[in-house]
Amino acid sequence: MTTRTKLAEDTWKRMDKINAELFILTYGSIVAQLCNEFEEYAEVNKQLDRMGYGIGTRLVEDFLARTNIGRCRDLRETADILSKVGFKIYLNITPAVTNWSADSRAFSLILDDNPLADFVELPEDGRAQDELWFSNVLCGVIRGALEMLQVQVEAQFVSDVLRGDPATELRVIFVKMIDEGQPINDE
Amino acid sequence: MSFLLVIVGPADEPLYQLEFGTSRSGGDGTARFREDARPMNQFILHSSLDIVDELIFKDAQMYMKTVDRFNNAHISAFVTAGNVRFLLLHDVKNDEAIKTFLNDLYELYLKTIMNPFHEHNAPITSSAFDGRVRALARKYL
């Protein structure tokens, strides 16, 4: 396992970096603008997921080009690579992989330190606290990236510190392996 | 000792207001202004804005000490780079504590405006901000 961590660390060092505040403020203004444009927070979540899907389908190519990691044998390996290498080289965080379901088809990523949500306080209009998943773009990225690797998953947030929950938890559920030849639904 | 804090935006509109009293030496944190004096306090602060505006160009520091006096009330001011003014009306001189208080308030203010959901120069309605300002007041004043 330490070879993966080392690979991640080395790849992270070679990546070009962007100023964190610029990145966070850009993402924050995207979410704020979406909230202004759409009445329902559920719709905002969906838009963020779609944006993430577009990012993920393209990001996975960059990921494979940089890390040259081979095929994962099972979901556990996928989860491990996702958290130790994937999140590490793009966001410099390593979420913990926990809460495996009994049949090993679902797991949770616990983000202790979510850079997208720095400085953010959800609007106090009574609905944002219950309906908005601020970092929902990450769900789309995971779904899009894995779909390009023929693995279909569902990803959604179950808790978020911005809502007052104790931790930020993202649940990833394996649906099926995609057969060759299915058209990719690039919305 | 009672205090009135007002945060004023660049167009002289009030963004946040808090009345509180000292928590030191047995005080319970509630303001004790005389009832008839309370509406006057806001006028006093408003008129001190003129003085603050004059002093902005004379002094390059963000924290100005006491800028004005009215009867027995002192007004201290802190001006940010975006021309947002923190005005504190108080009846005792306590420069050190007020300076630290206003500086920490400045940091809280910065975090608030970094929030993507905060409309620029809108009144600050976040209850989290309010709670933190009160905690700061209890800590320093």
Side-chain angles (χ1 to χ4, degrees):
Chain A
M1 289 310 125
T2 48
T3 49
R4 277 187 197 143
T5 322
K6 184 157 189 327
L7 167 70
E9 192 63 45
D10 291 342
T11 317
W12 159 252
K13 290 201 182 96
R14 289 198 305 267
M15 300 283 281
D16 288 330
K17 312 283 192 307
I18 184 182
N19 176 284
E21 254 115 48
L22 176 63
F23 179 66
I24 300 168
L25 290 178
T26 305
Y27 181 69
S29 56
I30 290 176
V31 181
Q33 186 61 28
L34 285 175
C35 290
N36 275 336
E37 286 176 9
F38 291 101
E39 297 287 323
E40 292 293 325
Y41 285 116
E43 187 59 36
V44 175
N45 291 339
K46 226 166 65 168
Q47 291 294 326
L48 288 173
D49 186 77
R50 282 173 77 178
M51 287 168 56
Y53 181 84
I55 295 174
T57 51
R58 293 159 178 85
L59 203 62
V60 73
E61 302 293 335
D62 182 77
F63 175 78
L64 291 173
R66 287 184 195 271
T67 58
N68 263 326
I69 289 185
R71 208 159 254 303
C72 293
R73 282 166 303 198
D74 58 15
L75 193 66
R76 282 191 184 258
E77 247 189 87
T78 309
D80 194 60
I81 302 251
L82 183 62
S83 102
K84 289 212 178 87
V85 190
F87 271 91
K88 170 71 181 172
I89 67 179
Y90 293 112
L91 289 177
N92 200 23
I93 55 173
T94 317
V97 180
T98 58
N99 282 348
W100 280 98
S101 67
D103 51 6
S104 287
R105 289 169 77 91
F107 61 92
S108 289
L109 291 166
I110 311 280
L111 287 85
D112 290 318
D113 154 36
N114 180 8
L116 294 176
D118 280 345
F119 305 120
V120 177
E121 269 174 37
L122 293 182
E124 284 176 11
D125 60 359
R127 294 178 304 138
Q129 291 278 341
D130 298 321
E131 296 172 26
L132 178 68
W133 293 118
F134 188 81
S135 315
N136 214 40
V137 74
L138 296 177
C139 296
V141 172
I142 293 174
R143 187 169 64 88
L146 289 177
E147 191 167 310
M148 292 304 279
L149 302 173
Q150 316 303 114
V151 178
Q152 192 175 343
V153 295
E154 274 170 25
Q156 55 229 20
F157 275 95
V158 284
S159 67
D160 194 351
V161 290
L162 291 179
R163 289 191 177 192
D165 300 324
T168 305
E169 185 176 335
L170 208 174
R171 190 115 188 107
V172 180
I173 304 169
F174 174 76
V175 173
K176 62 175 197 256
M177 301 293 293
I178 301 173
D179 299 326
E180 298 291 339
Q182 243 192 26
I184 305 292
N185 184 14
D186 190 0
E187 302 162 68
Chain B
M1 292 176 277
S2 309
F3 303 88
L4 174 63
L5 167 74
V6 177
I7 300 184
V8 183
D12 293 344
E13 76 281 32
L15 301 181
Y16 179 77
Q17 180 177 303
L18 183 65
E19 258 182 19
F20 56 95
T22 184
S23 301
R24 292 184 184 267
S25 34
D28 60 357
T30 45
R32 277 185 183 75
F33 290 113
R34 289 177 38 188
E35 265 316 301
D36 48 353
R38 281 186 67 211
M40 276 297 284
N41 289 337
Q42 302 201 332
F43 281 115
I44 300 172
L45 278 181
H46 195 264
S47 65
S48 66
L49 280 176
D50 289 333
I51 307 194
V52 173
D53 285 344
E54 280 172 28
L55 287 178
I56 286 176
F57 296 104
K58 291 210 185 118
D59 185 6
Q61 296 296 324
M62 283 198 289
Y63 171 64
M64 308 168 170
K65 301 187 194 37
T66 302
V67 299
D68 192 18
R69 289 196 49 180
F70 184 88
N71 294 345
N72 67 337
H74 303 255
I75 319 271
S76 298
F78 184 104
V79 184
T80 71
N83 208 23
V84 173
R85 286 143 291 181
F86 304 157
L87 298 173
L88 187 67
L89 184 149
H90 50 103
D91 39 18
V92 288
K93 263 178 87 71
N94 193 354
D95 279 344
E96 269 315 301
I98 290 182
K99 178 176 181 172
T100 10
F101 173 73
L102 286 176
N103 273 303
D104 283 3
L105 181 65
Y106 179 53
E107 285 179 28
L108 279 183
Y109 172 72
L110 288 177
K111 291 201 183 90
T112 304
I113 54 175
M114 294 281 274
N115 180 12
F117 291 109
H118 178 257
E119 263 175 55
H120 199 52
N121 290 338
I124 304 176
T125 51
S126 151
S127 52
F129 178 77
D130 187 54
R132 286 189 207 119
V133 176
R134 286 175 193 272
L136 213 56
R138 268 197 303 274
K139 192 169 152 196
Y140 290 121
L141 296 171

